[in-house]
Structure formats: structure tokens, C-alpha cells
């Protein structure tokens, strides 16, 4: 490890280990040189705001939110050590990339850096995608390991791969529940153990066939540990033979050039893959090597087409999310709505069933869509029209508060404004709902909120509530059903007596952005 690497690593350790209370104390009398007074105050305000919001964010924080909070709180560390690291351009670049701060310049937004040539292109140093041209699956007599997707956004690598369990037969799946009944809580786990798949996965013998891959990753010659692992499960028994895995890695210190090489190993099976850096051009709107970009209400979408023979696969990624906290993809009533045409002829797309992954925390939005274009000799004019982008928006301190205990059936006349979305609350009550009506039993019954939701912006259609909290605690599951032609009932299982409720907050909502965008491939 050279001196630049050591400096960056020591800085990381400094802010990772420091309690937030200590950060708060140090900021009260910190002196910043050589930044001017306005720049000094800007840094202090930015970090202070993040610190004040930390407790509010903790109950619903995702990995990305936690990372952003820590990054903002860490900015002041570089003020303290700025004189030490200023001498190295590489360290300065690392600081800018990791923390949005450069000694002598203050807090900066680092989206990309100008190319030294005369083209005027801007290179986004934070985006890499999988190079499908160099992709080769690997297998042994037990599994087939296939990289399905890889994307680096900022300093996070998301690697998606499937593991096909080739030693499990149709007969195994048909008889699994009779063969292993009584031996295991979940018979699927017994099948995995018998076939020797405990050499590839840690198998949890629970109610669900939970597996954790025993995998390693080498990236640009460096061993990288996964920070998070998600295994997608479905209702299909066939899914027991194909495992879809998403793994997330922090790779901020090991990106090298325009390409990145990696090797994923599961058990004794290894598969090589490479990634290519995206290059954005400012000279042509929507021009990007290896993909196409479009923007809708501050959300920047990357469309990446991939050819396999006459089959065209289309993936969408979120480059920027604007004011929103999450993006679900192009869909209405949960079906894809992007329409592809070749020379004016519409081709129906289908969801690629071999590519089903958990999208939580992912930059990949929606499903992968497959188009069979074998009937077209001329594929020179391909256009995708997409609409109805499903997004999620988060709020703080938006809801209802009560100074007195609620009555069993309390009439309310209050409007909660969520930007262009109005939530008119009409009534709150306490009811005990039964399993016969499709509800799980709840010790304290259900909190029923009768409300009407309207939008003042025709381009933003309210879909549903994504997160609701009661007394500051996120609700674990709630039901939304139509009450009458105008009103909706939200049924929330209570973990406390009804009369103890003092607040209800609408933490986030789902919205459809009703605008059309076009990708010309």
C-alpha cells in the first residue's frame, strides 16, 4: 500500500470510529483555513443539518441513506487534515469522490470531470456497467454460475448472478414435500443438504429455503468483502433450482481505468467478468456510449440495450433520482408499459423470467424486458416509448398529532399536504378484524383511517402509501381497501392500545409520473 492509500484509509478510519456527539462538539469551534467565511459556514450548516436529522432517519434508513449521512458528517474531518493531504492530486481526487470535499475549495459536487481533449465531453467517473461481450458462464457437476448484471454507481458495486442447481431433477421437486417430511422444518433445505449444496451455500433450515452464498470476489486484483447480500425468492417451486443473488460491495479504493476486471467464485466454481465505464457526451442530448439517457421530473434514466442473437434485452438504471427516494420503473398496474417498435411496427416485450432479483436499494429499476426481433431483417430503426414512471417520495413530520386520547370513532376534518398530493382525513376508529375477512389477528385490533387522496398536478398520480408510522414507529404491514367511491380505508395493526396513539405520520408515498419519454436505439 503506497502513502496515498494509507492517507485515504486513515481518514476513513477517523470518521468511521468517531461518535457523532464528538463530531457535533468539534464543529462548534472548528476553524477552517483557507476557505472563506461563507464556505466555512456552508460546510458547518450542511453537516449540522445531517446530524440533526440522524435520529429521524434511523428508523427508516436504507444503506444508501446511512452512507449519505456518514459522508456529510465526515466532511469536517478533511478540514482538520487538509494541510496533510493537499500535496497529492490522487488523494485530493479520492477526497472529492468519497466525501464531496476538497481542501482549499470546500464542499463540491463531483459528478464528473472535464476531458482534457477538445471534444467537450464529460466523463462520469462513477458509472460502470457489465460488458456482456466478454461474459462467460462457468459450471461444475453441481451448479452453473452466471453473471447477469453488474453496475458501479458512485463507490458501490452491485453484482447480480444466478446459480442453477443442476443436480436437482424434476422428480426431486415433485417429491420434495413427501421425501423430507418430518426430517426438516423446510423440506427444500433437506434436498439442498442431500445434494451437497452446503458446499456452496450456508443453508438455514427455517420456514423458508434461506441460503447465503459462500462466495468471494476479486476486483482489479483486490479481494472485496460483500457489505450486503439479498437472495430473491418467489412462489414458484422451480425457483428452488435457480437462485437469484444480489451482492453489494464498497469499491471506492480499487477502481482503476476505463475497464474493471473481476472474478466471482462460489464454492470451487469461478466466473470472470469485465465492466466498462460509461462516457457521457455534452454535445448531443441523450448521447451516451453503451446506452441512452432521458430525464423525467428530475429523474435521469439510463436505458441499456443488450443483443443476444435476434433477442434484444432492455435494462433501465437510475442515474439520478431528483427529489425522490426510490424508483420502481416504467409500469402501470405493475406491468411494463415501455413500447418498442421496429420501423414503426410494435413488438411485444415480455419480462425475462431468468432475471428476477430484489430491486430494493438497487440502481436497476423494474424488470429486464426481452424482445424477440427475429422477424425483422432490418433492425436499424428501433424506438422505445415509455411512460408512467413509478417513484417513491419520503417526508418528515407530515401527518396527524393528537393531544388527547382518541375516541373509538373519532371524526376528523384535517388535510395533510404532501406537496401536490392532498390527504383529507375524515375519520379514525378502532376495529377488531378477523382472519375470515383476510386480516391477521392483532392484539390491540386495527387502527382504521378513512381518507381521500387527490392530486393537484395531473402529471403526478398518487398510487399508494409506502411507509406509515404510528407514535414514531414504522408500521410492519398495513391494508388499503376502498371504502366507497371517494374514500379509502387504511387498516393498521396496532402494537399498542388505541388510546395511547399520539401521532400518525405518512412517511412516504408512491407516485406515477405521467410523462412520456423516448429512447431511439
Amino acid at each position: 500500500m503506497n502513502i496515498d492509500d494509507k492517507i485515504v484509509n486513515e481518514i476513513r478510519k477517523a470518521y468511521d470510529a468517531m461518535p457523532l456527539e464528538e463530531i457535533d462538539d468539534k464543529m462548534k469551534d472548528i476553524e477552517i483555513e483557507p476557505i472563506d467565511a461563507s464556505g466555512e459556514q456552508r460546510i458547518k450548516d450542511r453537516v449540522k443539518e445531517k446530524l440533526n436529522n440522524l435520529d429521524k432517519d434511523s428508523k427508516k434508513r436504507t444503506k444508501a441513506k446511512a452512507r449519505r449521512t456518514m459522508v456529510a458528517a465526515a466532511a469536517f474531518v478533511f478540514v482538520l487534515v487538509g494541510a496533510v493531504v493537499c500535496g497529492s492530486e490522487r488523494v485530493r481526487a479520492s477526497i472529492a469522490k468519497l466525501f464531496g470535499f476538497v481542501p482549499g475549495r470546500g464542499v463540491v459536487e463531483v459528478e464528473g470531470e472535464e476531458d482534457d481533449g477538445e471534444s467537450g465531453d464529460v466523463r462520469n467517473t462513477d458509472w460502470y456497467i457489465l460488458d456482456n461481450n466478454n461474459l462467460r458462464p462457468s459450471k461444475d457437476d453441481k451448479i452453473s454460475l452466471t453473471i447477469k448484471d453488474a453496475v458501479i454507481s458512485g463507490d458501490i458495486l452491485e453484482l447480480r448472478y444466478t446459480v442453477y442447481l443442476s443436480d436437482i431433477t424434476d422428480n426431486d421437486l415433485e417429491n420434495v414435500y413427501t421425501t423430507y417430511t418430518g426430517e426438516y422444518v423446510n423440506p427444500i433445505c433437506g434436498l439442498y443438504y442431500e445434494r451437497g449444496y452446503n458446499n456452496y451455500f450456508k443453508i438455514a433450515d427455517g420456514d423458508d429455503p434461506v441460503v447465503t452464498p459462500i462466495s468471494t470476489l476479486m476486483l482489479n486484483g483486490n479481494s472485496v468483502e460483500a457489505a450486503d447480500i439479498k437472495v430473491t425468492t418467489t412462489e414458484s417451486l422451480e425457483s428452488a433450482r435457480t437462485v437469484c443473488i444480489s451482492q453489494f460491495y464498497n469499491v471506492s479504493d480499487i477502481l482503476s481505468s476505463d475497464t474493471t476486471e473481476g472474478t466471482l467464485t462460489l464454492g470451487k466454481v469461478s466466473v470472470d467478468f469485465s465492466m466498462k465505464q460509461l462516457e457521457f457526451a455534452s454535445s448531443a442530448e441523450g448521447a451516451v456510449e453503451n446506452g441512452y439517457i432521458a430525464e423525467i421530473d428530475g429523474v435521469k434514466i439510463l436505458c441499456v440495450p443488450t443483443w443476444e442473437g435476434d433477442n434484444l434485452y432492455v435494462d433501465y438504471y437510475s442515474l439520478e433520482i431528483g427529489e425522490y427516494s426510490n424508483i420502481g420503473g416504467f409500469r402501470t398496474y405493475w406491468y411494463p408499459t415501455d413500447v418498442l417498435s421496429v420501423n414503426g411496427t410494435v413488438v411485444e416485450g415480455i419480462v425475462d423470467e431468468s432475471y428476477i432479483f430484489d430491486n430494493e436499494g438497487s440502481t436497476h429499476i423494474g424488470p429486464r424486458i426481452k424482445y424477440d426481433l427475429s422477424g425483422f431483417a432490418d433492425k436499424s430503426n428501433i424506438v422505445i416509448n415509455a411512460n408512467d414512471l413509478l417513484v417513491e417520495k419520503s417526508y418528515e413530520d407530515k401527518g396527524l398529532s393528537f393531544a388527547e386520547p382518541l375516541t373509538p370513532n373519532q371524526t376528523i376534518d384535517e388535510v395533510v399536504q404532501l406537496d401536490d398530493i392532498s390527504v383529507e382525513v375524515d375519520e379514525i376508529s378502532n376495529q377488531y378484524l378477523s382472519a375470515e375477512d383476510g386480516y391477521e389477528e392483532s392484539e390491540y385490533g386495527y387502527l382504521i383511517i378513512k381518507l381521500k387522496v387527490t392530486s393537484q398536478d395531473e402529471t403526478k398520480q398518487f398510487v399508494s402509501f409506502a411507509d406509515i408510522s404510528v407514535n414514531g414507529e414504522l408500521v410492519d404491514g398495513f391494508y388499503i381497501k376502498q371504502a366507497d367511491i371517494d374514500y379509502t380505508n387504511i387498516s393498521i395493526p396496532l402494537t399498542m392500545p388505541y388510546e395511547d396513539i399520539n401521532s400518525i405520520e405518512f412517511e412516504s408515498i408512491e407516485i406515477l409520473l405521467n410523462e412520456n419519454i423516448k429512447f431511439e436505439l
Side-chain angles (χ1 to χ4, degrees), residues 110-215:
V110 184
E111 297 294 340
E113 52 191 5
E114 291 291 335
D115 190 272
D116 293 333
E118 299 179 358
S119 64
D121 288 353
V122 176
R123 172 170 294 175
N124 187 321
T125 58
D126 294 333
W127 270 90
Y128 296 74
I129 63 172
L130 184 66
D131 185 355
N132 288 279
N133 294 327
N134 297 327
L135 194 58
R136 297 291 182 272
S138 186
K139 61 184 178 180
D140 62 6
D141 60 341
K142 294 284 187 181
I143 70 169
S144 178
L145 179 63
T146 306
I147 303 290
K148 289 289 189 177
D149 194 17
V151 58
I152 296 175
S153 173
D155 54 7
I156 299 299
L157 162 65
E158 180 183 359
L159 185 64
R160 294 180 166 197
Y161 61 95
T162 59
V163 185
Y164 180 75
L165 310 182
S166 53
D167 199 27
I168 294 180
T169 66
D170 290 341
N171 187 63
D172 291 331
L173 296 177
E174 291 172 2
N175 299 318
V176 64
Y177 288 110
T178 56
T179 304
Y180 298 97
T181 300
E183 296 183 47
Y184 296 88
V185 174
N186 190 315
I188 295 290
C189 298
L191 177 60
Y192 287 167
Y193 276 114
E194 183 185 84
R195 291 292 188 269
Y197 285 111
N198 54 313
N199 294 319
Y200 302 84
F201 303 98
K202 295 179 182 177
I203 303 170
D205 184 15
D207 293 334
D208 296 314
V210 179
V211 295
T212 302
I214 305 173
S215 63

Side-chain angles (χ1 to χ4, degrees), residues 311-332:
N311 290 326
L312 173 64
Y313 296 84
V314 176
D315 296 280
Y316 296 104
Y317 301 89
S318 56
L319 293 175
E320 297 177 10
I321 64 174
E323 63 180 351
Y324 302 102
S325 56
N326 194 28
I327 301 175
F330 295 107
R331 58 185 73 183
T332 302

Side-chain angles (χ1 to χ4, degrees), residues 242-290:
T242 302
V243 185
C244 298
I245 302 168
S246 302
Q247 297 190 190
F248 298 82
Y249 304 83
N250 189 310
V251 295
S252 55
D253 295 332
I254 57 177
L255 297 183
S256 56
S257 58
D258 291 350
T259 60
T260 291
E261 305 294 329
T263 300
L264 175 70
T265 301
L266 182 68
K268 295 183 178 180
V269 178
S270 296
V271 60
D272 296 327
F273 65 97
S274 65
M275 304 180 69
K276 50 193 175 185
Q277 191 174 42
L278 291 179
E279 296 189 8
F280 298 84
S282 58
S283 56
E285 177 110 19
V288 54
E289 185 178 340
N290 310 314

Side-chain angles (χ1 to χ4, degrees), residues 14 49 80 87 90 120 127 130 162 170 179 203 217 281-282 286 293 373 387 475-476:
E49 178 185 1
L80 299 177
R90 182 183 176 279
W127 270 90
L130 184 66
T162 59
D170 290 341
T179 304
I203 303 170
L217 176 67
S282 58
I293 56 176
L373 304 185
N387 61 1
V475 174
D476 184 16

Side-chain angles (χ1 to χ4, degrees), residues 506-519:
F506 304 117
E507 302 276 3
S508 62
I509 60 175
E510 292 177 333
I511 306 169
L512 280 178
L513 301 180
N514 300 316
E515 295 185 29
N516 296 327
I517 66 172
K518 179 187 290 186
F519 298 100

